[in-house]
Amino acid sequence: MRVGVLTGGGDCPGLNAVIRAVTKSLIGQNQAEVIGIEDGFLGLAEGRTRPLDWDSVSGLTARGGTVLGTTNRFDPLASEQTAHAVLANARALGLHALVAIGGDGTMTIAHALAQRGLPCVGVPKTIDNDIEGTDRSFGFDTAVATITEALDRVQTTAQSHGRVMIVETMGRNAGWLALEAGVAGSADAILLPEIDFDIDALAARCREREQRERFTVICVAEGAKPRGGEQTVQERIPGRPEPVRLGGVAHTLREQLQSRVATEVRATVLGHVQRGGAPTPFDRVLATLYGNAAAELVRGQQFDQMVTLQRGALGSVPLGTVAGRARRVPSDHPLLRCAQQIGIFFGR
Ligand code: F6P
């Protein structure tokens, strides 16, 4: 059996741990030949591969990024020609299966290729935790830990100077990162893409806190927007599968708040720091479980599936139920309700 493995979309802590687990499970249990595909589907279109053996994946659990390389610039579904190149190379390589590790874009591509006859299995990756069908994507826990540490650090400046400190997280159109890290890092206000904020109500909350605690820490998701307003777009990159790059809402918010409060307001945009570095122990274990579960799906010839973690149990769902969707924070989510009940302000 010959199996291809690729990583697609943005890098993420835990990718290497998945590559290692898939490879070792397939070699150990099936004596399979495992082929690493470089730079995601682009490498498959261009026929750039390298063998993955036991030794080449050993020691990868703790390493951030992806040893296979990745890109979010290439969409094989952009034209019949590119889709054909990918499928033709997969056939030429003699792949019996392809394990695609990536976010919603990668899952959408894997599903489309599976529909065209390439047996694919998906593994959900993203710090945003917004992939449909699973409660957790690996990488999220590590990013939450990084943001929490940042919030802890700005807390000391906020307290010492009596300031409003704003910390902006990634997450695209989902607020999971801001919600979980905001709670863990004791933010006083959390602004999510799912709940449009009222700038006057937020300013009023900061002024109230000026009288009592003297400081306010705000954790804002990059996708958050004011009531009746727009998201802050950093850049639009034409021709990319995902052309919109959000970012900078913390600066807009700082300007709007500064004229409404007495204390000084400062903004920090965490950016790619959130995606870098070694995975947490939780993400290492989850990535390893996912990698082995993907290998099990290949062994059982269960294709066009994505491995999942739902209510603490490993499983899988059809890729078709994941493709083209994003999971956002529902208004009745237990952590959101809990945070509201303990007095964290959500912008209204
Ligand atoms: O999806 C992961 C993510 O880090 C988002 O949170 C963020 O909006 C986006 O990718 C940034 O993409 P890029 O690395 O292309 O700037």
Side-chain angles (χ1 to χ4, degrees), residues 26-72:
L26 287 169
I27 293 174
Q29 305 303 311
N30 302 82
Q31 295 76 48
E33 192 184 341
V34 185
I35 311 278
I37 295 154
E38 296 175 354
D39 298 336
F41 290 104
L42 180 63
L44 194 51
E46 296 175 349
R48 287 188 284 113
T49 63
R50 72 176 91 131
L52 291 177
D53 59 23
W54 194 272
D55 290 344
S56 65
V57 298
S58 287
L60 285 185
T61 312
R63 204 189 302 175
T66 163
V67 292
L68 290 175
T70 187
T71 182
N72 49 15

Side-chain angles (χ1 to χ4, degrees), residues 152-214:
D152 287 349
R153 286 175 185 274
V154 302
Q155 189 90 231
T156 57
T157 303
Q159 286 173 352
S160 306
H161 287 258
R163 280 180 180 166
V164 176
M165 299 293 282
I166 305 169
V167 172
E168 178 181 316
T169 74
M170 283 184 162
R172 295 199 296 180
N173 297 312
W176 299 106
L177 281 173
L179 175 62
E180 199 153 317
V183 170
S186 310
D188 307 301
I190 300 175
L191 306 179
L192 306 177
E194 291 85 353
I195 306 174
D196 291 354
F197 61 87
D198 177 336
I199 186 69
D200 291 316
L202 180 63
R205 176 59 69 100
C206 295
R207 284 197 303 272
E208 250 172 65
R209 290 185 55 88
E210 278 170 359
Q211 304 307 316
R212 291 178 294 130
E213 294 85 353
R214 294 183 62 238

Side-chain angles (χ1 to χ4, degrees), residues 10 72 126-128 170-172 177 222 240 245-246 272 275:
N72 49 15
T126 171
I127 64 165
D128 304 339
M170 283 184 162
R172 295 199 296 180
L177 281 173
E222 63 179 0
R240 293 280 179 90
R245 289 293 172 281
L246 297 171
H272 290 84
R275 248 169 51 190

